């Protein structure tokens, strides 16, 4: 009877924690209490948030993969997403700076300074993205051709790319405002904004692509319209919760007056953060271009299909690792270095188990997963090879993500920038080129270079983490 009661109480506590994680609880103090509970409260909504972000690409991939010219459509979606990773890089870099500063101020029990910092980060995002979206819209076709698309594929997909690049502000704001919420410890709002955005995308995609009643079939362009509208609705939801005055961050209009000293401070943290992800995304762009030139339209479509599926699994792991950024930032702000270290270890352990499970699933069921997204046999074969090869490094990906977020959460954004520069540009890109071109392995050589480089990056990150420079950074 006692054992039954104990089990019931344990189950009840777990259920309560899960409900709290999904609902959100800004009153929870992440600088005290159970570290496991702190990780779970942050990780669950962050994992679900990133799963929702990855669903955007998969929903588009599914519907465009069944269009008449599916190889062109998949290639366009994939190549455009590859270029948009630069915007993701800017958004993630700025949001990491916002998370680090907001988390540190919250750890110091100064929510006013945290709110001011978050609003100054939004000003930075508006200025940067207004330039990018204009150039992206104007040079959309040139971008596709530069990425290795054939003239026919570029003509087919140019309007998709124009809409996606022109509406890129909503991508940046979605990432940035979620970074502000995460820094404040409210990952549940970030999660729900992605849920809403995805729900709208899932509903709108088949309607705008295939047509419904009086709504005409826009084909590939409809996918871009649905994604942009969905993300915009998600941003409106974020804005409502950011400005309604009920959360820990109380926003007033004066916080939007540019404070150039604070903008400079945030930019100083964000610049290497942006650079580290630009380095990584440019590497992926080069790999996509290398596959397109050595594998043709079908090779490119297969690789992009595998990449979108891979991101579906990796983004939730990135979400889990984001818990380390918030916990490290808040605990360093509270002068609790040992607790920050324990938080990193606990998060890394959970992420390793998660990625090991995903690796097994991917290796066993790659064919079934790929066939759901495209009915082109040639594309399927290439996608399966790419997915199984790249999944061999999943465990190292998981550990590396936690360490990268540890450095960034502490405000030590230069360390992962250096790791990415050497790991991607001086190792992964040359390795992929040599395997694909010199040894004439084509796309297979590119696929192999990914897990090899990611493993090396993780091992380097472990060495740098143990040196402990991240513990002494002032934000």
């Amino acid at each position: 009877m006692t054992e039954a009661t104990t089990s019931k109480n344990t189950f009840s506590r777990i259920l309560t924690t899960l409900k709290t994680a999904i609902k959100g609880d800004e009153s929870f103090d992440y600088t005290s209490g159970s570290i496991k509970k702190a990780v779970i409260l942050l990780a669950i909504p962050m994992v679900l948030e990133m799963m929702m972000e990855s669903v955007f690409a998969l929903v588009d991939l599914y519907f465009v993969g069944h269009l008449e010219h599916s190889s062109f459509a998949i290639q366009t979606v994939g190549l455009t997403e590859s270029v948009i990773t630069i915007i993701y890089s800017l958004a993630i870099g700025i949001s990491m700076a916002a998370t680090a500063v907001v988390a540190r101020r919250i750890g110091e029990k100064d929510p006013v300074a945290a709110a001011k910092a978050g609003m100054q980060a939004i000003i930075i995002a508006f200025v940067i993205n207004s330039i990018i979206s204009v150039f992206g819209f104007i040079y959309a076709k040139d971008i596709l051709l530069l990425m290795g698309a054939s003239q026919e594929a570029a003509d087919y997909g140019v309007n998709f790319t124009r809409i996606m690049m022109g509406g890129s502000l909503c991508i940046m704001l979605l990432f940035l405002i979620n970074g502000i919420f995460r820094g404040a410890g409210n990952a549940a709002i970030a999660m729900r904004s992605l849920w809403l955005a995805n729900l709208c995308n899932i509903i709108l995609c088949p309607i705008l692509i295939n047509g419904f009643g009086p709504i005409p079939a826009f084909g590939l362009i409809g996918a871009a319209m649905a994604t942009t509208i969905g993300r915009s609705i998600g941003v409106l939801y974020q804005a409502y919760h950011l400005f309604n005055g009920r959360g820990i961050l109380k926003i007033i209009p004066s916080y939007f007056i540019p404070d150039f000293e604070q903008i400079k401070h945030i930019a100083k943290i964000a610049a290497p953060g942006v650079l580290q992800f630009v380095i990584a995304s440019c590497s992926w762009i080069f790999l996509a271009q290398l596959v397109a030139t050595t594998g043709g339209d079908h090779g490119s479509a297969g690789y992009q299909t595998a990449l979108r599926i891979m991101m579906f699994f990796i983004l939730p792991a990135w979400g889990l690792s984001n818990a380390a950024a918030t916990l490290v930032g808040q605990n360093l702000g509270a002068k609790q270095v040992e607790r920050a270290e324990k938080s990193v270890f606990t998060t890394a352990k959970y992420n390793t188990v998660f990625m090991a499970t995903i690796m097994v699933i991917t290796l066993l069921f790659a064919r079934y997963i790929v066939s759901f997204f495209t009915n082109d046999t040639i594309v399927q074969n290439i996608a399966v090879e790419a997915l199984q090869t790249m999944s061999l490094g999943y465990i190292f990906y998981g550990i590396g993500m936690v360490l990268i977020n540890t450095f960034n959460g502490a405000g030590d954004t230069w360390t992962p920038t250096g790791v990415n520069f050497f790991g991607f540009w001086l190792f992964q890109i040359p390795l992929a080129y040599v395997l694909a071109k010199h040894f004439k392995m084509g796309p297979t050589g590119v696929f192999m270079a990914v897990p090899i480089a990611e493993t090396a990056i993780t091992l380097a990150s472990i060495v740098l983490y143990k040196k402990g420079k991240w513990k002494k950074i002032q934000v």
Side-chain angles (χ1 to χ4, degrees):
M1 186 69 178
T2 304
E3 289 184 7
T5 303
T6 302
S7 298
K8 185 177 180 180
N9 289 337
T10 301
F11 178 75
S12 179
R13 284 197 301 271
I14 293 172
L15 193 61
T16 300
T17 301
L18 292 175
K19 287 181 179 178
T20 303
I22 294 174
K23 184 179 179 182
D25 182 10
E26 286 190 312
S27 65
F28 184 83
D29 189 348
Y30 292 99
T31 61
S32 63
S34 169
I35 291 177
K36 287 184 178 180
K37 183 177 181 180
V39 172
I40 290 171
L41 286 177
L42 287 170
I44 289 176
M46 286 178 179
V47 167
L48 293 174
E49 175 195 348
M50 288 295 102
M51 284 184 71
M52 290 299 100
E53 179 59 39
S54 64
V55 165
F56 271 112
L58 287 186
V59 170
D60 289 349
L61 184 66
Y62 173 79
F63 287 108
V64 304
H66 292 80
L67 290 173
E68 184 179 354
H69 301 287
S70 63
S71 64
F72 289 162
I74 292 173
Q75 186 180 16
T76 298
V77 172
L79 294 179
T80 302
E81 282 288 330
S82 295
V83 175
I84 285 179
T85 53
I86 294 178
I87 296 170
Y88 289 149
S89 300
L90 290 165
I92 293 171
I94 297 172
S95 71
M96 280 189 323
T99 299
V101 176
V102 170
R104 192 68 69 97
R105 299 293 90 85
I106 293 295
E108 295 167 353
K109 314 303 181 190
D110 190 355
V112 173
K116 288 180 180 178
M119 297 313 99
Q120 296 302 305
I122 289 178
I123 293 173
I124 296 172
F126 263 102
V127 173
I128 293 174
N129 199 262
S130 61
I131 299 170
I132 293 174
S133 59
V134 170
F135 276 90
F137 184 87
I138 295 173
Y139 296 105
K141 187 173 181 179
D142 301 279
I143 289 170
L144 289 174
L145 292 171
L146 185 65
M147 287 294 296
S150 63
Q151 183 67 47
E152 194 175 1
D155 290 335
Y156 180 82
V158 63
N159 287 326
F160 174 90
T161 305
R162 280 177 180 156
I163 294 172
M164 292 296 288
M165 295 297 292
S168 59
L169 177 61
C170 60
I171 297 175
M172 186 169 286
L173 288 179
L174 205 56
F175 272 96
L176 175 56
I177 298 175
N178 277 352
I180 294 170
F181 282 127
R182 284 194 295 268
N186 194 343
I189 293 290
M191 170 195 70
R192 290 199 291 271
S193 68
L194 265 297
W195 280 6
L196 177 61
N198 262 289
L199 178 62
C200 294
N201 185 46
I202 290 169
I203 293 171
L204 291 173
C205 245
I207 293 175
L208 295 177
I209 291 174
N210 301 316
F212 182 78
I215 301 174
F218 291 99
L220 179 61
I221 299 173
M225 294 166 62
T227 300
T228 302
I229 293 170
R231 282 181 168 140
S232 299
I233 291 172
V235 171
L236 291 175
Y237 177 83
Q238 290 175 320
Y240 169 76
H241 284 280
L242 190 61
F243 303 131
N244 66 11
R246 299 174 188 171
I248 192 171
L249 301 178
K250 311 293 184 185
I251 310 300
I252 59 176
S254 64
Y255 293 172
F256 285 98
I257 298 174
D259 181 339
F260 293 105
E261 193 61 36
Q262 190 162 50
I263 287 174
K264 182 180 176 182
H265 178 64
I266 294 171
K268 187 177 179 180
I269 300 171
V274 169
L275 184 59
Q276 70 180 261
F277 284 97
V278 167
I279 288 170
S281 60
C282 285
S283 175
W284 287 104
I285 289 172
F286 178 84
L287 297 186
Q289 196 269 347
L290 191 57
V291 170
T293 54
T294 59
D297 288 338
H298 283 96
S300 180
Y303 173 66
Q304 295 298 339
T305 299
L307 206 56
R308 301 283 80 74
I309 295 170
M310 180 182 169
M311 287 300 108
F312 176 76
F313 293 124
I314 284 184
L315 280 176
W318 182 261
L320 199 161
S321 68
N322 272 332
T326 300
L327 290 171
V328 166
Q330 291 200 13
N331 282 293
L332 289 180
K335 311 299 182 186
Q336 298 191 62
V337 177
E338 186 177 347
R339 182 178 172 83
E341 289 180 309
K342 289 180 180 178
S343 300
V344 174
F345 178 78
T346 302
T347 308
K349 181 172 65 176
Y350 291 162
N351 221 22
T352 299
V353 173
F354 175 77
M355 291 305 288
T357 304
I358 296 304
M359 182 179 72
V360 173
I361 292 173
T362 303
L363 289 173
L364 293 177
F365 302 107
R367 175 69 62 179
Y368 299 100
I369 297 171
V370 168
S371 63
F372 181 75
F373 294 100
T374 176
N375 48 18
D376 189 310
T377 305
I378 300 174
V379 173
Q380 284 182 10
N381 291 336
I382 296 171
V384 169
E385 180 192 357
L387 191 58
Q388 290 181 330
T389 303
M390 292 189 293
S391 70
L392 295 174
Y394 275 2
I395 292 176
F396 285 98
Y397 299 166
I399 298 171
M401 289 174 199
V402 174
L403 296 179
I404 292 295
N405 273 299
T406 296
F407 297 134
N408 289 325
D412 180 18
T413 47
W414 278 114
T415 293
T417 301
V419 170
N420 281 358
F421 177 74
F422 284 97
F424 287 118
W425 284 11
L426 300 186
F427 183 52
Q428 186 185 68
I429 290 177
L431 177 62
Y433 186 86
V434 168
L435 292 176
K437 297 275 193 176
H438 181 72
F439 289 101
K440 303 190 183 301
M441 297 176 68
T444 300
V446 178
F447 307 154
M448 291 174 60
V450 173
I452 294 172
E454 291 285 356
T455 300
I457 288 170
T458 298
L459 294 175
S461 298
I462 291 172
V463 173
L464 294 169
Y465 169 81
K466 289 183 176 180
K467 286 187 175 182
K469 175 188 171 186
W470 60 276
K471 304 175 191 176
K472 305 169 186 176
I473 298 295
Q474 297 299 314
V475 175

